Amino acid sequence: MFKKIILWGLVIVVSVVVIGAAAVAIFLPKEKIKEMAMEKISSALNREVTVDDLSVSYFGGLGVKLNGIKISNPDGFDWSQFLEAKSLDIKLQLWPLLQRKIFVDRIILIEPKIALLKTRKGQLNYVFGLIDSVTSSQITEDLSKESELALAAISFDNFSIENGQIDYVDDSSQIGLNIFGLDLKTKLANPENMTYQIGGNFNTDSIIIKKSGDSDLNIPTLAIASSFNARIDLEKKQAILSDSEIEINGWKFEINAGIPNTESLDYFNLEVASNRKALSEIIALLPSEYNYIPDGYSATGDLEFNAALKYNSKAKEKLKYNGNADLYNLKLTVDSLNGDFEIEQVKIDFVNDNVGLNIIGGSLDGNPISGSVQLSDFDNIHIDGKINGTAELATLNKFLPEIGKPKLSGQANFDLACSGHKEELSKFKVNGKIQIKNRVYTAETLPEPIESFQLDIDISPKNVVVKNLTVQSPSSQFSISGSISDPFPYFMPGFEGEAKKPYLKFELVSRRFNTDKLFPAAVPGGSETNLAELPIDSLPPLPLPD
């Protein structure tokens, strides 16, 4: 399809050049030139082509200007015109024409409006007459001989489109695209035989993408500015894009790409590097269905990345990619938790089905935190994570039972690791250490408050070793040591009711143990209730096992 669009464009240019050259030779009047031009172009495109006015000049070269040019649509399309433009201005150097070469000083298309249409039956209005009647093998043959020879002789200093508009409508998929304020300025050089160097700028004021029907797209309006530099070798059938940039709504990307064989397209590579951009602005670029930040969560910060992608249709793994990204000054807020998670930098490395994240300079509510996460096998995501630091115990209050309004305060030091598949959270393997010193626990159901407690535990997937749990209340003091077998998934929020209750073996040592205070006669259910008749779980929530 792309070849066809190139070919019909060349047909127009070459037709005008031929007619202009004939005018120089036989000095035809303007109306005769106009008639011949319209006849040739219409015949080549198999479309009705009209112009309001045509002028020819010879000063400083051969110039042809078409005013009010229109190219019609074929039958069966709602829109009457495929293209209409205020003017098409072409100027060529005369001396190269005598050497069977075409050097264009300028091709300027002013205010074109182009309609690209696809019907429900798959008919296209941007496929043209004579080109359509030629088989793909004939196109290849023609392009490799006469057309390529013609191409090799063309250069231009300025090909421009000013204030263009493109409307794309696909009735089969109900997708529409509108491009407004399109400006293009390019320069084409022919430094070597069958080789082209093309560079320039492409800008649009706005691109609007719409989809009608049940599944509407919610893509914001896009503004694009770009500069490009490409080298195309027709003989070797290679294309290289280098030192090119594109800016989408203020987010800039540097782009390099290569296609070793433009005919087969069985291999290509692409490199992209972005500048730093605010997360909020990046999220605003995405359709709402691709915003993966859930309700109750918010994130601010800046992101930059670079990535490389390689495609090889003949390889077992056709598509390969790698790269890295950096998040700076990241701030995560969760409505249900106290404090914000702030990170100076998150370094992200990715290659194929693996992503690694490393947290640098993190803190939670002012307490230091560091860690890393490794994600692999995107079909069934496997997570390996490590985290260590200090956290406020008050953060855990939301996970405690509502009965008795229990509250924790103080800080905990932790060094934890976990491993498992995302869809099998209950089977996660957890390892690490937790230490708590001189902290407070209160609850309305406690016979007396716990003035301080200390905890030192080692965690493994099969056991939690309680190295020390020391509790101090106004009337008592005691210490527990032991181990808990099969701690998971019971201790994971959301799985308590589904998992069997862990089993604790322990030793208790106390210098002062006031049973009257710790186990009063007044219990939930009334003062006359016999403790022995109550379910074990209904006893006051002391930090003791059942």
Side-chain angles (χ1 to χ4, degrees), residues 279-311:
L279 276 178
S280 57
E281 297 178 28
I282 296 172
I283 293 170
L285 291 174
L286 301 174
S288 57
E289 55 266 34
Y290 293 103
N291 181 2
Y292 295 112
I293 298 180
D295 293 338
Y297 293 76
S298 62
T300 60
D302 299 324
L303 170 69
E304 66 180 10
F305 75 90
N306 64 75
L309 183 149
K310 293 183 178 181
Y311 173 79

Short mmCIF file of all heavy atoms in Angstrom, two decimals, residues 279-311:
data_model
loop_
_atom_site.label_atom_id
_atom_site.label_comp_id
_atom_site.label_asym_id
_atom_site.label_seq_id
_atom_site.Cartn_x
_atom_site.Cartn_y
_atom_site.Cartn_z
N LEU A 279 4.91 12.05 35.81
CA LEU A 279 4.00 10.89 35.74
C LEU A 279 2.57 11.31 35.48
O LEU A 279 1.84 10.66 34.74
CB LEU A 279 4.07 10.10 37.05
CG LEU A 279 5.19 9.06 37.19
CD1 LEU A 279 5.10 8.43 38.57
CD2 LEU A 279 5.09 8.01 36.12
N SER A 280 2.14 12.40 36.10
CA SER A 280 0.76 12.84 35.93
C SER A 280 0.47 13.18 34.47
O SER A 280 -0.62 12.91 33.96
CB SER A 280 0.49 14.07 36.81
OG SER A 280 1.41 15.12 36.50
N GLU A 281 1.46 13.75 33.77
CA GLU A 281 1.27 14.09 32.35
C GLU A 281 1.30 12.84 31.48
O GLU A 281 0.60 12.76 30.47
CB GLU A 281 2.34 15.09 31.92
CG GLU A 281 2.26 16.42 32.65
CD GLU A 281 3.37 17.37 32.23
OE1 GLU A 281 3.84 17.26 31.09
OE2 GLU A 281 3.76 18.22 33.04
N ILE A 282 2.12 11.85 31.87
CA ILE A 282 2.16 10.59 31.12
C ILE A 282 0.84 9.85 31.27
O ILE A 282 0.28 9.35 30.29
CB ILE A 282 3.34 9.72 31.60
CG1 ILE A 282 4.67 10.41 31.31
CG2 ILE A 282 3.29 8.34 30.95
CD1 ILE A 282 5.86 9.71 31.91
N ILE A 283 0.33 9.79 32.49
CA ILE A 283 -0.95 9.11 32.74
C ILE A 283 -2.06 9.78 31.95
O ILE A 283 -2.96 9.12 31.43
CB ILE A 283 -1.25 9.09 34.24
CG1 ILE A 283 -0.24 8.19 34.97
CG2 ILE A 283 -2.67 8.60 34.52
CD1 ILE A 283 -0.29 8.29 36.47
N ALA A 284 -1.99 11.11 31.83
CA ALA A 284 -3.02 11.85 31.08
C ALA A 284 -3.00 11.49 29.59
O ALA A 284 -4.01 11.67 28.90
CB ALA A 284 -2.82 13.35 31.26
N LEU A 285 -1.87 11.00 29.08
CA LEU A 285 -1.77 10.61 27.67
C LEU A 285 -2.44 9.27 27.40
O LEU A 285 -2.74 8.94 26.24
CB LEU A 285 -0.30 10.52 27.24
CG LEU A 285 0.48 11.83 27.14
CD1 LEU A 285 1.95 11.55 26.86
CD2 LEU A 285 -0.09 12.74 26.07
N LEU A 286 -2.65 8.47 28.44
CA LEU A 286 -3.15 7.11 28.27
C LEU A 286 -4.67 7.08 28.28
O LEU A 286 -5.31 7.85 29.00
CB LEU A 286 -2.62 6.20 29.37
CG LEU A 286 -1.10 6.07 29.50
CD1 LEU A 286 -0.75 5.24 30.73
CD2 LEU A 286 -0.50 5.44 28.26
N PRO A 287 -5.27 6.18 27.49
CA PRO A 287 -6.71 5.95 27.64
C PRO A 287 -7.02 5.46 29.04
O PRO A 287 -6.19 4.82 29.69
CB PRO A 287 -7.00 4.84 26.60
CG PRO A 287 -5.85 4.89 25.65
CD PRO A 287 -4.66 5.35 26.44
N SER A 288 -8.21 5.78 29.53
CA SER A 288 -8.56 5.43 30.91
C SER A 288 -8.45 3.93 31.17
O SER A 288 -8.12 3.50 32.28
CB SER A 288 -9.97 5.91 31.24
OG SER A 288 -10.91 5.35 30.32
N GLU A 289 -8.72 3.09 30.14
CA GLU A 289 -8.66 1.65 30.34
C GLU A 289 -7.23 1.15 30.55
O GLU A 289 -7.01 0.03 30.99
CB GLU A 289 -9.29 0.89 29.17
CG GLU A 289 -8.70 1.24 27.82
CD GLU A 289 -9.48 2.32 27.10
OE1 GLU A 289 -10.01 3.22 27.77
OE2 GLU A 289 -9.55 2.26 25.86
N TYR A 290 -6.22 1.99 30.25
CA TYR A 290 -4.83 1.60 30.47
C TYR A 290 -4.21 2.32 31.67
O TYR A 290 -3.01 2.29 31.86
CB TYR A 290 -3.99 1.87 29.22
CG TYR A 290 -4.38 0.99 28.06
CD1 TYR A 290 -5.14 1.49 27.01
CD2 TYR A 290 -4.01 -0.35 28.02
CE1 TYR A 290 -5.51 0.67 25.94
CE2 TYR A 290 -4.38 -1.17 26.97
CZ TYR A 290 -5.13 -0.64 25.93
OH TYR A 290 -5.49 -1.45 24.89
N ASN A 291 -5.04 2.94 32.48
CA ASN A 291 -4.57 3.56 33.72
C ASN A 291 -4.66 2.51 34.83
O ASN A 291 -5.73 2.22 35.33
CB ASN A 291 -5.42 4.79 34.05
CG ASN A 291 -4.95 5.47 35.32
OD1 ASN A 291 -3.98 5.06 35.94
ND2 ASN A 291 -5.66 6.52 35.71
N TYR A 292 -3.51 1.95 35.20
CA TYR A 292 -3.49 0.83 36.13
C TYR A 292 -3.38 1.27 37.59
O TYR A 292 -3.20 0.44 38.47
CB TYR A 292 -2.33 -0.11 35.79
CG TYR A 292 -2.49 -0.79 34.46
CD1 TYR A 292 -1.64 -0.50 33.40
CD2 TYR A 292 -3.52 -1.71 34.25
CE1 TYR A 292 -1.80 -1.13 32.16
CE2 TYR A 292 -3.68 -2.33 33.01
CZ TYR A 292 -2.82 -2.03 31.99
OH TYR A 292 -2.98 -2.63 30.76
N ILE A 293 -3.49 2.57 37.87
CA ILE A 293 -3.45 3.03 39.25
C ILE A 293 -4.87 2.93 39.81
O ILE A 293 -5.77 3.62 39.35
CB ILE A 293 -2.93 4.47 39.33
CG1 ILE A 293 -1.49 4.54 38.80
CG2 ILE A 293 -2.99 4.97 40.77
CD1 ILE A 293 -0.88 5.91 38.83
N PRO A 294 -5.10 2.07 40.80
CA PRO A 294 -6.46 1.85 41.31
C PRO A 294 -6.96 3.04 42.12
O PRO A 294 -6.18 3.91 42.54
CB PRO A 294 -6.31 0.60 42.18
CG PRO A 294 -4.87 0.60 42.59
CD PRO A 294 -4.10 1.21 41.46
N ASP A 295 -8.28 3.05 42.36
CA ASP A 295 -8.87 4.09 43.19
C ASP A 295 -8.28 4.02 44.60
O ASP A 295 -8.02 2.94 45.13
CB ASP A 295 -10.39 3.90 43.27
CG ASP A 295 -11.07 4.14 41.93
OD1 ASP A 295 -10.46 4.85 41.09
OD2 ASP A 295 -12.18 3.63 41.72
N GLY A 296 -8.10 5.19 45.19
CA GLY A 296 -7.52 5.23 46.52
C GLY A 296 -6.01 5.32 46.53
O GLY A 296 -5.40 5.44 47.59
N TYR A 297 -5.41 5.26 45.34
CA TYR A 297 -3.95 5.35 45.21
C TYR A 297 -3.62 6.54 44.29
O TYR A 297 -4.36 6.84 43.35
CB TYR A 297 -3.36 4.08 44.60
CG TYR A 297 -3.46 2.86 45.49
CD1 TYR A 297 -4.66 2.18 45.64
CD2 TYR A 297 -2.34 2.37 46.16
CE1 TYR A 297 -4.76 1.05 46.45
CE2 TYR A 297 -2.42 1.23 46.96
CZ TYR A 297 -3.64 0.59 47.10
OH TYR A 297 -3.73 -0.53 47.89
N SER A 298 -2.52 7.17 44.55
CA SER A 298 -2.05 8.23 43.65
C SER A 298 -0.53 8.19 43.61
O SER A 298 0.12 7.73 44.56
CB SER A 298 -2.54 9.61 44.11
OG SER A 298 -2.02 9.92 45.39
N ALA A 299 0.04 8.65 42.50
CA ALA A 299 1.49 8.63 42.32
C ALA A 299 1.94 9.90 41.62
O ALA A 299 1.31 10.33 40.65
CB ALA A 299 1.91 7.40 41.52
N THR A 300 3.00 10.49 42.11
CA THR A 300 3.62 11.64 41.45
C THR A 300 5.11 11.38 41.33
O THR A 300 5.69 10.56 42.04
CB THR A 300 3.39 12.94 42.24
OG1 THR A 300 3.97 12.79 43.56
CG2 THR A 300 1.90 13.24 42.38
N GLY A 301 5.75 12.09 40.41
CA GLY A 301 7.17 11.91 40.16
C GLY A 301 7.48 12.14 38.70
O GLY A 301 6.63 12.60 37.91
N ASP A 302 8.70 11.82 38.29
CA ASP A 302 9.15 11.99 36.91
C ASP A 302 9.69 10.67 36.39
O ASP A 302 10.25 9.87 37.14
CB ASP A 302 10.24 13.06 36.81
CG ASP A 302 9.76 14.42 37.28
OD1 ASP A 302 8.59 14.74 37.03
OD2 ASP A 302 10.55 15.14 37.91
N LEU A 303 9.54 10.48 35.06
CA LEU A 303 10.00 9.24 34.42
C LEU A 303 10.82 9.58 33.18
O LEU A 303 10.47 10.48 32.42
CB LEU A 303 8.81 8.38 34.01
CG LEU A 303 9.10 7.16 33.13
CD1 LEU A 303 9.87 6.10 33.91
CD2 LEU A 303 7.81 6.58 32.55
N GLU A 304 11.90 8.82 32.97
CA GLU A 304 12.61 8.83 31.70
C GLU A 304 13.06 7.41 31.40
O GLU A 304 13.23 6.60 32.32
CB GLU A 304 13.80 9.79 31.72
CG GLU A 304 14.93 9.42 32.67
CD GLU A 304 16.07 10.41 32.63
OE1 GLU A 304 15.91 11.48 32.01
OE2 GLU A 304 17.13 10.11 33.22
N PHE A 305 13.25 7.09 30.12
CA PHE A 305 13.60 5.71 29.78
C PHE A 305 14.33 5.66 28.45
O PHE A 305 14.31 6.61 27.66
CB PHE A 305 12.35 4.83 29.71
CG PHE A 305 11.52 5.03 28.46
CD1 PHE A 305 11.76 4.28 27.31
CD2 PHE A 305 10.52 5.98 28.44
CE1 PHE A 305 11.00 4.49 26.16
CE2 PHE A 305 9.75 6.19 27.31
CZ PHE A 305 9.99 5.44 26.16
N ASN A 306 14.99 4.54 28.22
CA ASN A 306 15.50 4.23 26.88
C ASN A 306 15.30 2.74 26.65
O ASN A 306 15.36 1.93 27.58
CB ASN A 306 16.97 4.64 26.70
CG ASN A 306 17.90 3.88 27.60
OD1 ASN A 306 18.19 2.71 27.37
ND2 ASN A 306 18.38 4.53 28.65
N ALA A 307 15.01 2.38 25.41
CA ALA A 307 14.67 1.00 25.09
C ALA A 307 15.17 0.66 23.69
O ALA A 307 15.28 1.53 22.82
CB ALA A 307 13.16 0.79 25.17
N ALA A 308 15.47 -0.63 23.50
CA ALA A 308 15.86 -1.14 22.18
C ALA A 308 14.98 -2.33 21.85
O ALA A 308 14.70 -3.17 22.71
CB ALA A 308 17.33 -1.55 22.20
N LEU A 309 14.54 -2.37 20.61
CA LEU A 309 13.65 -3.45 20.17
C LEU A 309 14.19 -4.02 18.87
O LEU A 309 14.60 -3.28 17.97
CB LEU A 309 12.24 -2.89 19.98
CG LEU A 309 11.12 -3.87 19.57
CD1 LEU A 309 9.79 -3.40 20.16
CD2 LEU A 309 10.99 -3.95 18.05
N LYS A 310 14.19 -5.36 18.79
CA LYS A 310 14.65 -6.05 17.58
C LYS A 310 13.61 -7.07 17.15
O LYS A 310 13.09 -7.82 17.98
CB LYS A 310 15.99 -6.73 17.82
CG LYS A 310 17.14 -5.77 18.06
CD LYS A 310 18.46 -6.50 18.21
CE LYS A 310 19.61 -5.52 18.40
NZ LYS A 310 20.92 -6.21 18.53
N TYR A 311 13.34 -7.09 15.86
CA TYR A 311 12.38 -8.04 15.30
C TYR A 311 13.08 -8.87 14.23
O TYR A 311 13.75 -8.34 13.34
CB TYR A 311 11.19 -7.31 14.70
CG TYR A 311 10.23 -8.22 13.95
CD1 TYR A 311 9.31 -9.01 14.63
CD2 TYR A 311 10.27 -8.29 12.56
CE1 TYR A 311 8.45 -9.85 13.94
CE2 TYR A 311 9.42 -9.12 11.86
CZ TYR A 311 8.51 -9.90 12.55
OH TYR A 311 7.66 -10.73 11.87
#
